[in-house]
Amino acid sequence: MKTTSSEKLKISMAGEYGVCSELSKRGFDVSITMGNAKAVDIFVHLNDGYFRRIEVKTTRSNKFVTGFFQKYYDKSRNDHPDFWVLVFIDSENISHYYILSHEEMGRAQMEMNRMTEWKKVIGCDNVKRSMVAQYENAWEKIK
């Protein structure tokens, strides 16, 4: 059965709110951004006055659509998320969280694409859940 755009939006929102909840439980002040043209999904405000930008990708399948090298192909640019949180919602509606730095996400995407360097790619990048399994619940890296 094909997923409708309304269902996709609900799954996406569930992932973003779930990440906010997990970060709040860990003592962070978080702000979710709204809309379809946003640059980042969540801001995490740190005690030192700085913040971290988090991109959230949520799925019910074993692949996360990232669009990574369609947008972040220039490694020297600094307008990227600091972290990626990939959320897998299983058949029992339990969320599994995979936390990657932007660099780690880039390496995982390169592995999936069989690339040796960062460059613009045509199409829409995705990574398999098995490729990011080592990052499950790695919340400690967000600081």
Side-chain angles (χ1 to χ4, degrees), residues 28-82:
F28 290 102
D29 291 326
V30 296
S31 299
I32 193 166
T33 60
M34 304 303 277
N36 290 332
K38 55 192 177 183
V40 68
D41 294 316
I42 297 169
F43 287 103
V44 177
H45 305 272
L46 304 177
N47 290 335
D48 59 9
Y50 290 96
F51 63 91
R52 298 290 181 260
R53 299 167 293 198
I54 297 180
E55 181 71 21
V56 179
K57 297 297 182 184
T58 308
T59 190
R60 286 191 176 272
S61 76
N62 284 315
K63 286 194 307 189
F64 297 97
V65 175
T66 67
F68 192 90
F69 284 115
Q70 288 74 52
K71 190 169 183 180
Y72 303 111
Y73 53 87
D74 185 350
K75 198 172 185 178
S76 67
R77 290 180 56 178
N78 196 28
D79 61 346
H80 56 75
D82 298 300

Side-chain angles (χ1 to χ4, degrees), residues 8-137:
K8 288 178 186 178
L9 178 61
K10 288 175 185 174
I11 290 169
S12 176
M13 300 267 311
E16 290 175 16
Y17 282 107
V19 171
C20 283
S21 174
E22 290 295 323
L23 289 167
S24 293
K25 286 191 283 188
R26 288 163 173 77
F28 290 102
D29 291 326
V30 296
S31 299
I32 193 166
T33 60
M34 304 303 277
N36 290 332
K38 55 192 177 183
V40 68
D41 294 316
I42 297 169
F43 287 103
V44 177
H45 305 272
L46 304 177
N47 290 335
D48 59 9
Y50 290 96
F51 63 91
R52 298 290 181 260
R53 299 167 293 198
I54 297 180
E55 181 71 21
V56 179
K57 297 297 182 184
T58 308
T59 190
R60 286 191 176 272
S61 76
N62 284 315
K63 286 194 307 189
F64 297 97
V65 175
T66 67
F68 192 90
F69 284 115
Q70 288 74 52
K71 190 169 183 180
Y72 303 111
Y73 53 87
D74 185 350
K75 198 172 185 178
S76 67
R77 290 180 56 178
N78 196 28
D79 61 346
H80 56 75
D82 298 300
F83 295 97
W84 292 69
V85 180
L86 308 179
V87 183
F88 169 66
I89 302 175
D90 68 21
S91 61
E92 296 177 7
N93 285 326
I94 297 171
S95 297
H96 303 265
Y97 300 95
Y98 305 90
I99 298 86
L100 294 83
S101 69
H102 184 69
E103 183 71 27
E104 290 166 336
M105 187 70 239
R107 285 195 304 265
Q109 193 63 70
M110 285 179 66
E111 179 185 344
M112 180 69 180
N113 294 2
R114 297 185 179 105
M115 297 167 56
T116 58
E117 63 185 59
W118 287 46
K119 63 182 178 181
K120 189 168 182 119
V121 173
I122 304 300
C124 191
D125 285 334
N126 62 75
V127 295
K128 295 178 184 174
R129 189 164 58 105
S130 61
M131 298 174 76
V132 298
Q134 66 189 356
Y135 302 106
E136 189 166 9
N137 292 320

